[in-house]
Amino acid sequence: MSKNISFIDGLEGILKYREIDINQLVELPYDAVSYLLIMGELPGDQELADYSARLRGEREINREAIDVIRMCNFNIDSMEALRTIVSFISQFDPDINDNSPEGNMRKAIRLIAKIPTIVAAYHRIANGKEPVPPDPSLSHGANFLYMIRGSKPSDLEAEVMEKDFILSAEHELNASTFSSRVTASTLSDLYSAVVSGLCTLKGPLHGGARAEVMAMIDEISSPEDAEKYVLEKLAKKEKIMGFGHRVYKTYDPRGVVFKQLSRQLAEAKGNMYWYEIAEATERTVIRELVEKKGKPIYPNVDFYSGVIYKYLDIPPKLATSIFAIGRVSGWIAHCFDQYEKKKIIRPRAFMLDEC
Ligand code: SDX
């Protein structure tokens, strides 16, 4: 098993999961990358088949969860519903307080498998439709799009969704992963650690940025308008959503792939409009902040992924939950590491000045 769950070189713009570069990993199924993160090495063919079968067998959520979703306030963000339902279904898991490796693996499978179903069920019910049961013949990405739409996605759309989940899956000790890790370090259960991650990811400075990017793209009426929009924001000292990063001081390597995928979708759909607005926004931010002021503010993981969600006709209210669908495998990998250590994380207040 490779020691480091992930490796980031913020100056060179490199990201690796278990020592494998993400540009190689995006060519694999999400299930294989999820297995890599949690088990520490890539699965063989039979291991992958068994892991995928376990995930697909656990995609359904119970009637009680559907009933609670029906009682939700449909004006909330899907992350608020997801946080509630993950917590609710934990009481039905017989392994809830079994922190043995086997017990935690069973819970990990259920969480990875059920979170997309919860998000899709909330989306359908909030829009006055019945939930679509998961289709075990479809990949993680294709099945999610199928459950929110009620019809199967194109091969390109399914491929893009898989890659989105892979690129979102893990990123060392980001805020939500740290939050999950701290919860697991007290030997609290895996559902509680994932709920901690969900609550933290929701923030607009973190996972919530994708929805903000989507709203920004809608606000910019044309590629020509992008420059004016950015200049006005910067003049008011406001941050441009989807740009900047605490660790990357160059282009986020995930953003590079997301940009390529968003262009592929734009060309396939014969609609360059949102892509061109995004490119014009990027050009202006780079010119104004990087070239003129020397500030390393580049597109991060949330900029072009927000553009992709527009091409996939995904509403902004689902954007952060989709980030969580990918990231839950990373949270779980870090939690498993913490369960193995059996050592509580207890920083000192002065360390906060360094964070
Ligand atoms: C994620 O940690 C992770 O790995 C997170 C993540 C993951 O995979 O888990 O990568 C996912 O959260 C990506 C980030 C998504 N958030 C956004 O896109 C929101 C917009 N970005 C900013 O809020 C900001 O860039 C942060 C929060 C991402 C990083 O902020 P830092 O490192 O704390 O930088 P800062 O706020 O101290 O800013 C430093 C300077 C400031 O200018 P000065 O005061 O020095 O003059 O850079 C400027 C900032 O104003 N700046 C920006 C900017 N981000 C920083 N200016 C304009 N637009 C921006 N987006």
Side-chain angles (χ1 to χ4, degrees):
M1 171 186 280
S2 135
K3 188 81 197 80
N4 293 325
I5 298 171
S6 59
F7 166 78
I8 302 172
D9 182 325
L11 296 177
E12 297 300 321
I14 295 169
L15 172 60
K16 296 181 179 178
Y17 299 168
R18 301 287 188 186
E19 293 162 23
I20 304 173
D21 192 281
I22 52 153
N23 289 290
Q24 284 176 254
L25 295 175
V26 285
E27 300 311 322
L28 301 176
Y30 175 78
D31 294 356
V33 177
S34 168
Y35 183 100
L36 168 71
L37 287 169
I38 294 172
M39 306 303 284
E41 57 201 10
L42 281 174
D45 292 346
Q46 191 54 51
E47 287 161 325
L48 178 57
D50 294 345
Y51 185 67
S52 290
R54 286 183 72 185
L55 285 169
R56 296 177 189 209
E58 285 283 7
R59 284 174 171 170
E60 296 274 0
I61 57 176
N62 61 18
R63 184 186 44 73
E64 291 83 353
I66 298 285
D67 290 346
V68 172
I69 291 174
R70 292 189 198 283
M71 290 187 276
C72 278
N73 166 359
F74 298 137
N75 299 318
I76 59 175
D77 186 280
S78 62
M79 277 296 271
E80 288 145 17
L82 180 58
R83 167 186 76 196
T84 304
I85 304 303
V86 170
S87 189
F88 176 73
I89 64 170
S90 67
Q91 63 185 305
F92 301 100
D93 191 317
D95 296 306
I96 176 75
N97 288 311
D98 174 354
N99 271 350
S100 70
E102 300 74 22
N104 275 331
M105 194 60 199
R106 288 192 292 271
K107 286 180 280 188
I109 294 277
R110 291 172 190 136
L111 281 158
I112 296 165
K114 293 180 188 321
I115 282 177
T117 310
I118 294 168
V119 176
Y122 170 76
H123 172 67
R124 299 276 300 178
I125 292 170
N127 287 280
K129 298 175 186 163
E130 281 307 297
V132 172
D135 179 339
S137 71
L138 297 176
S139 70
H140 210 60
N143 178 57
F144 176 66
L145 289 174
Y146 168 67
M147 290 192 295
I148 56 172
R149 293 176 176 176
S151 59
K152 293 186 181 175
S154 69
D155 290 347
L156 175 61
E157 290 175 321
E159 178 199 339
V160 170
M161 199 77 260
E162 282 280 291
K163 292 184 174 179
D164 175 282
F165 292 158
I166 290 168
L167 294 167
S168 306
E170 159 63 12
H171 210 243
E172 197 219 56
L173 222 44
N174 60 85
S176 56
T177 298
F178 183 66
S179 180
S180 279
R181 238 192 128 113
V182 168
T183 303
S185 81
T186 70
L187 300 185
S188 180
D189 70 280
L190 191 59
Y191 282 86
S192 298
V194 167
V195 170
S196 293
L198 290 168
C199 296
T200 309
L201 185 69
K202 180 172 175 281
L205 290 188
H206 189 17
R210 293 185 186 185
E212 305 278 339
V213 167
M214 296 174 80
M216 174 173 73
I217 298 290
D218 284 340
E219 203 178 327
I220 298 173
S221 58
S222 70
E224 296 68 35
D225 187 37
E227 177 171 16
K228 180 167 161 285
Y229 176 92
V230 171
L231 293 175
E232 282 173 1
K233 279 272 185 187
L234 295 180
K236 290 185 282 186
K237 291 266 182 241
E238 290 178 15
K239 292 186 174 169
I240 313 296
M241 290 292 117
F243 287 85
H245 200 276
R246 175 59 59 79
V247 178
Y248 290 116
K249 298 310 165 193
T250 182
Y251 218 111
D252 184 326
R254 301 166 295 177
V256 174
V257 182
F258 274 130
K259 182 174 182 178
Q260 291 160 358
L261 294 174
S262 62
R263 184 182 184 100
Q264 262 184 279
L265 275 177
E267 288 169 349
K269 293 179 181 282
N271 166 15
M272 298 306 291
Y273 178 70
W274 293 316
Y275 179 80
E276 286 171 355
I277 286 179
E279 259 204 326
T281 304
E282 175 190 349
R283 266 198 311 277
T284 309
V285 172
I286 300 262
R287 187 192 69 217
E288 292 302 313
L289 293 181
V290 181
E291 293 165 6
K292 286 186 181 173
K293 295 191 176 172
K295 288 183 182 179
I297 308 297
Y298 294 88
N300 58 42
V301 67
D302 295 319
F303 185 60
Y304 283 100
S305 53
V307 178
I308 282 170
Y309 296 172
K310 291 199 64 66
Y311 281 111
L312 292 177
D313 196 23
I314 287 171
K317 282 171 77 171
L318 296 188
T320 314
S321 294
I322 295 173
F323 196 159
I325 290 173
R327 184 53 54 92
V328 67
S329 290
W331 291 336
I332 288 169
H334 283 267
C335 290
F336 277 27
D337 191 41
Q338 214 50 59
Y339 287 131
E340 201 180 318
K341 283 186 165 65
K342 288 191 177 53
K343 197 165 166 47
I344 197 164
I345 295 173
R346 202 280 188 205
R348 297 298 307 276
F350 66 81
M351 295 174 170
L352 286 175
D353 298 335
E354 302 306 312
C355 286

